[in-house]
Amino acid sequence: MTAYLLKRIAIAIATLVLASLVVFAVLEIVPGDPARLMLGMNASAEQVEQLRTQMGLNDPLLLRYLHWAGDLLTLDLGRSLTYSVPVLDLVRERVAVSLPLALIALALSAVIAIPVGLYSASRRGHAGDTLAMGAAQIGVAIPNFWFALMLIYLFAVWLRLVPAGGFPGWGNGIWPALKSLLLPAVALALPQAAILARVTRSALIDVLNEDYIRTARAKGLPYRAVLWQHALRNAMIPVLTILGLQFAFLLAGTIIIENVFYLPGLGRLVFQAITQRDLIVVESVVMLLVAAVIAVNLIVDLSYAIVDPRLRGRE
Amino acid sequence: MNSWKSVLAATALALASATSAMAARTDIVIGIPLEPPHLDPTASAAAAIDEVLYANVFQGLTRIGPSGEVLPDLAESWTISDDGKTYTFKLHSGVKFHDGSDFNADDVKFSLDRARGEKSANAQKALFAAIDTVEVVDPATVKITLKNPQGSFLYNLGWGDAVIVAPESADTNKEKPIGTGPFRFENWAKGSSITLVKSADYWGEPAFLDKAEFRIVPDAAAAVPALLSGDVQAFPFFQPDGVAQIEGDPRFSVVVGATEGETLLSMNNKKPPFDNLKVRQAISYALDRAAIVEGASAGFGKPIGSHQSPASKDYVDLTGMYPHDVAKAKELLKEAGLENGFKATLKLPPPSYARLGGEIIASQLREVGIDLEIIPVEWAQWLEQVFKGKDFDLTIVSHTEPNDIDIYSRKDYYFNYDNPAFDKVIGELKVTSDEAKRKDLLGQAQKILAEDAVVGFLFELPKVGVWDAKLEGFWTDAPIQANDITKVKWKD
């Protein structure tokens, strides 16, 4: 187990170093000058050059990489070029939106998908299964920005139950903040739930065809007990894998939903930083997300071992 | 002995606030599409900064009014010497910055010297290039001497980039702006909103609103439900394509005005075949402006024939010089030796006027045999490749700075246009302050640009404002990029 863990951690560190090189290199290659963007079309070339020097953009490439990577090691994410505040402050504000949103959406997705998958697998081929999988198919196909707009028109414009967008901040009470995350979480969760339900169903069906299930049934265990105790646990590995991937996506890939609901999340921070060529913000936040994804994968790997005792003995 | 007076005053105040509480609302949420990178208008070209702070929080010696006129602001009045080189400004007294410190002539000298100084990060440094010295005569008087007379000097001082800041807070304005205006900055929830509140000890006529929140709503599709749900009560700069959903709803006013944004099909005047006047004229004839206005601005833009806003008093209508005429365009191409047409690229920045307009223009030019390859780019790329690198054939962009016809005389500007006759007119314009003479010169300049078909002049970018029908006091036009809310109020 320890060796397994150490190996995973070594791989994680190598991935981080590689990612830092790629992120840095890509931003060097992409055209665009943060100084020119700040000064606009009326500023002279000399003025732009002067601002570049002030921002440290004229230092040699290697020096800038080492400087940035060195700061990262001490957990200093640097200062934003455009906002001129520490990146850590920006990230902290955004994580306070993105993390709860991702968690709510993930919970919703699991709560909807796993029972539906269970139901469908156990009623395989029946009308209920066909209906549920048909709905899941639609759920996968619906573009989530469109679905989000429909939710807004129904719940915010027509029923006026929740705000149409925006985020009041946690400082103004838990309930108003949760309320503003509700619709985005549903909009994010539904397509994810649809995928997860399909995965759960097919994983369960595979397991239900195994010999030991027949054995369990043959020795007289009720169907329900077989499904919950024998089948579901064994079907959990693909489900956990998908959940892990979904969490990584929900944390960083929600830019479209964040735009539709104008939420100040991580996705929009990165997007805005890219359009303004705020190199430090893009580099540091992307690295942070890489680290988060790696951490999630690590947790998923470890949770396999919890679900499947056979994995615990390996290596 | 003063107790009676204070009791009376207190009663009056209590009554006044009680009635105002019963009367109209005094808070507002205003939607803006882009978040400002920071909050210091003297250190960035980003229009989003002025759209929150100009006139509301920060003030200059002069300011630009709703129709583009120059109005006194922190300067009560001024005199100009006969040679047009010395401006003496008399400042308002009793003006305080929002941190409680006094405003006086030293702040003016500090601000202007800072803006034009060597280390200045001011995006419009050229506005101050003519200044020779700034002298403090007494705390309420400032004398500015110019190197040469400058016709637009008072106008230049009205830009957001020329606002007066205090030495103590100049370096922290990016995060915590301290100005002299009727609103003071309260809070910036990054990515979400910026809140201003009424300044209690404002020196001039106080604002009607007590609190204004500028909420960032980047997505045009999200703006409509934000209005309909009542979350946001005004979008002074609304995406034209969303108007159809709001128009006809009596709860909202849709107000269409003009900006200073000349939307152009810019051409690289040094790159063949665009170095040939006949080719540029052919393109101008091939453009069907009515269709472009319809498609790229939902029909709200006004066609232009040269580089001047139709709302300007100096505007000359030259839209008739190159009417839509496919046959004429083909003939001109033939004369240029390009009867078989040619291929070129069209680089399009992100705004919808460019992306939508680009598709339409590509199909119009195809009719005369010009085959355009559309290349979408983001702003950073556009600035790098097109604006700085001049690596382009054609591009579409709106030049939103006011009174910017002089850009065509700038050396090394991305149009690559060079006409000594035009430069001469602009040179003269720069040192002329007489209104009639300026009008004549501006007319000449517009005509030269149209005759040279320097670029394809498309339309003046519209300003479409949408707000709750019970609100009044927003600007119709946008002579500068600002959301002056000092006169905005709820009708009771």
Side-chain angles (χ1 to χ4, degrees):
Chain A
M1 186 69 183
T2 326
Y4 174 72
L5 203 66
L6 284 176
K7 196 173 151 196
R8 301 298 316 180
I9 290 173
I11 292 174
I13 290 173
T15 316
L16 275 174
V17 173
L18 204 68
S20 76
L21 280 167
V22 171
V23 168
F24 190 83
V26 165
L27 282 172
E28 283 307 314
I29 295 164
V30 172
D33 177 355
R36 171 55 83 179
L37 268 167
M38 276 174 89
L39 291 174
M41 288 159 66
N42 257 358
S44 66
E46 298 81 64
Q47 225 188 320
V48 174
E49 207 44 42
Q50 190 197 323
L51 186 61
R52 283 185 62 87
T53 311
Q54 269 178 35
M55 295 202 280
L57 291 170
N58 283 341
D59 297 343
L61 205 60
L62 188 67
L63 193 72
R64 278 170 45 216
Y65 173 76
L66 289 177
H67 190 117
W68 169 65
D71 282 352
L72 278 187
L73 281 182
T74 61
L75 291 181
D76 178 359
L77 301 183
R79 274 183 100 79
S80 157
L81 295 179
T82 46
Y83 286 117
S84 55
V85 292
V87 176
L88 192 63
D89 291 358
L90 291 174
V91 170
R92 207 174 319 161
E93 287 163 10
R94 304 303 176 102
V95 168
V97 179
S98 286
L99 191 63
L101 179 61
L103 288 173
I104 298 172
L106 194 73
L108 272 177
S109 162
V111 164
I112 299 169
I114 295 176
V116 170
L118 261 170
Y119 171 82
S120 268
S122 61
R123 312 270 307 163
R124 188 178 169 197
H126 288 70
D129 173 35
T130 316
L131 201 71
M133 285 304 112
Q137 193 67 48
I138 294 174
V140 174
I142 286 180
N144 65 0
F145 73 90
W146 180 85
F147 181 60
L149 281 173
M150 292 304 112
L151 286 175
I152 294 174
Y153 277 104
L154 181 61
F155 292 103
V157 174
W158 197 48
L159 297 172
R160 300 219 170 186
L161 291 174
V162 288
F167 185 71
W170 293 103
N172 297 323
I174 305 268
W175 178 233
L178 275 181
K179 228 163 91 174
S180 66
L181 292 182
L182 217 56
L183 284 193
V186 171
L188 282 169
L190 214 77
Q192 305 298 330
I195 296 169
L196 197 62
R198 292 173 63 85
V199 171
T200 310
R201 175 182 179 269
S202 61
L204 266 171
I205 287 173
D206 283 349
V207 174
L208 287 172
N209 287 333
E210 298 277 339
D211 290 342
Y212 68 88
I213 298 289
R214 196 164 345 112
T215 313
R217 287 286 284 150
K219 78 176 182 189
L221 274 180
Y223 185 68
R224 200 168 281 262
V226 173
L227 195 64
W228 282 95
Q229 285 165 22
H230 294 262
L232 185 61
R233 187 161 187 171
N234 281 295
M236 274 320 267
I237 287 196
V239 173
L240 278 176
T241 311
I242 296 292
L243 265 179
L245 289 174
Q246 290 189 339
F247 184 68
F249 165 79
L250 288 172
L251 199 58
T254 59
I255 168 80
I256 293 172
I257 291 296
E258 281 176 18
N259 254 336
V260 173
F261 289 97
Y262 40 105
L263 293 172
L266 272 179
R268 251 180 71 206
L269 176 67
V270 177
F271 181 74
Q272 203 170 352
I274 292 173
T275 57
Q276 289 172 340
R277 290 294 183 275
D278 194 336
L279 305 175
I280 307 273
V281 172
V282 183
E283 288 161 357
S284 295
V285 176
V286 169
M287 283 312 293
L288 214 62
L289 291 173
V290 170
V293 170
I294 289 173
V296 169
N297 283 344
L298 203 62
I299 293 170
V300 171
D301 282 350
L302 295 178
S303 64
Y304 290 162
I306 296 169
V307 182
D308 188 346
R310 286 169 303 180
L311 288 175
R312 281 176 225 167
R314 265 199 236 164
E315 283 185 88
Chain B
M1 65 169 192
N2 270 334
S3 59
W4 269 110
K5 269 187 190 166
S6 47
V7 167
L8 264 176
T11 321
L13 201 71
L15 272 174
S17 54
T19 40
S20 73
M22 266 155 43
R25 273 174 87 160
T26 55
D27 66 310
I28 190 173
V29 179
I30 297 167
I32 50 173
L34 284 176
E35 177 165 40
H38 57 73
L39 302 178
D40 183 355
T42 67
S44 171
I49 300 176
D50 284 344
E51 283 170 14
V52 175
L53 301 167
Y54 183 82
N56 302 328
V57 172
F58 285 112
Q59 302 179 306
L61 286 178
T62 64
R63 57 162 297 174
I64 313 302
S67 336
E69 71 277 26
V70 177
L71 301 171
D73 207 6
L74 285 170
E76 191 176 72
S77 59
W78 51 80
T79 52
I80 308 170
S81 66
D82 290 338
D83 64 358
K85 289 215 285 200
T86 311
Y87 287 70
T88 311
F89 293 92
K90 177 96 186 69
L91 307 178
H92 276 287
S93 52
V95 177
K96 278 188 191 309
F97 281 98
H98 298 142
D99 61 358
S101 63
D102 286 320
F103 156 86
N104 61 37
D106 291 325
D107 299 306
V108 175
K109 178 172 169 55
F110 168 78
S111 301
L112 294 178
D113 286 348
R114 173 175 173 262
R116 65 202 185 93
E118 197 146 308
K119 284 227 164 116
S120 161
N122 198 296
Q124 312 290 348
K125 226 173 149 179
L127 292 178
F128 315 101
I131 298 179
D132 189 26
T133 57
V134 182
E135 288 163 74
V136 175
V137 178
D138 62 60
T141 315
V142 176
K143 193 166 96 184
I144 300 178
T145 314
L146 305 182
K147 294 172 194 150
N148 44 270
Q150 192 184 32
S152 55
F153 185 61
L154 288 171
Y155 188 94
N156 291 355
L157 288 179
W159 281 57
D161 307 80
V163 296
I164 304 303
V165 297
E168 310 85 59
S169 47
D171 291 334
T172 49
N173 278 340
K174 283 185 173 177
E175 278 295 295
K176 192 177 181 304
I178 303 275
T180 53
F183 289 93
R184 67 181 167 78
F185 166 78
E186 187 179 65
N187 175 47
W188 181 11
K190 295 230 171 60
S192 206
S193 66
I194 296 164
T195 308
L196 310 180
V197 291
K198 187 194 263 184
S199 170
D201 50 0
Y202 179 55
W203 58 273
E205 205 179 304
F208 296 105
L209 296 170
D210 287 330
K211 187 174 175 185
E213 180 187 332
F214 290 84
R215 195 172 291 173
I216 299 130
V217 183
D219 195 288
V224 175
L227 271 173
L228 292 175
S229 68
D231 288 359
V232 176
Q233 295 98 43
F235 281 92
F237 293 90
F238 197 71
Q239 285 275 359
D241 22 332
V243 170
Q245 266 177 285
I246 300 287
E247 242 172 355
D249 189 329
R251 290 175 295 168
F252 302 102
S253 313
V254 177
V255 179
V256 181
T259 69
E260 281 288 328
E262 288 79 27
T263 310
L264 313 174
L265 173 67
S266 298
M267 307 186 206
N268 192 340
N269 278 245
K270 279 217 174 79
K271 189 168 176 190
F274 306 100
D275 55 344
N276 187 335
L277 175 63
K278 289 206 161 84
V279 172
R280 297 198 304 269
Q281 286 175 327
I283 291 175
S284 303
Y285 277 116
L287 295 173
D288 177 2
R289 287 194 193 82
I292 297 167
V293 165
E294 195 54 48
S297 74
F300 294 117
K302 287 205 175 64
I304 52 171
S306 187
H307 198 93
Q308 188 78 22
S309 165
S312 156
K313 57 185 183 337
D314 302 315
Y315 173 72
V316 182
D317 186 355
L318 295 161
T319 47
M321 194 178 275
Y322 303 105
H324 180 49
D325 188 339
V326 175
K328 183 95 183 155
K330 281 185 177 159
E331 195 185 306
L332 279 161
L333 281 180
K334 200 170 169 188
E335 284 172 35
L338 290 163
E339 59 267 47
N340 296 326
F342 61 92
K343 277 190 197 316
T345 61
L346 173 61
K347 288 192 174 164
L348 301 177
S352 66
Y353 66 74
R355 295 279 163 93
L356 297 171
E359 300 285 344
I360 298 164
I361 286 171
S363 79
Q364 290 177 357
L365 293 193
R366 201 168 299 129
E367 278 178 47
V368 301
I370 303 173
D371 190 10
L372 293 185
E373 182 199 345
I374 290 180
I375 306 174
V377 292
E378 8 152 30
W379 271 125
Q381 269 176 302
W382 188 88
L383 282 169
E384 183 85 9
Q385 297 175 353
V386 178
F387 190 72
K388 186 176 162 215
K390 299 171 199 73
D391 172 21
F392 76 109
D393 298 335
L394 298 171
T395 185
I396 298 177
V397 71
S398 204
H399 283 254
T400 52
E401 257 107 24
N403 299 332
D404 58 351
I405 198 166
D406 66 300
I407 54 179
Y408 294 83
S409 72
R410 281 188 204 164
K411 292 297 150 246
D412 218 30
Y413 206 67
Y414 80 109
F415 303 135
N416 269 331
Y417 172 65
D418 188 9
N419 181 347
F422 180 79
D423 295 351
K424 197 168 153 268
V425 174
I426 295 297
E428 219 171 307
L429 181 72
K430 280 193 172 151
V431 296
T432 307
S433 22
D434 180 72
E435 284 300 319
K437 262 192 222 149
R438 283 182 68 83
K439 190 178 166 70
D440 177 55
L441 287 166
L442 275 165
Q444 287 179 39
Q446 289 170 59
K447 210 150 164 251
I448 297 174
L449 294 182
E451 279 163 357
D452 277 349
V454 183
V455 299
F457 296 101
L458 304 177
F459 60 88
E460 196 70 18
L461 203 64
K463 172 185 182 291
V464 181
V466 178
W467 46 79
D468 193 302
K470 294 194 290 294
L471 280 165
E472 61 184 18
F474 280 106
W475 287 14
T476 300
D477 297 318
I480 45 165
Q481 281 160 315
N483 286 319
D484 176 353
I485 55 163
T486 57
K487 299 276 180 286
V488 171
K489 65 171 176 179
W490 292 91
K491 289 180 260 187
D492 3 64

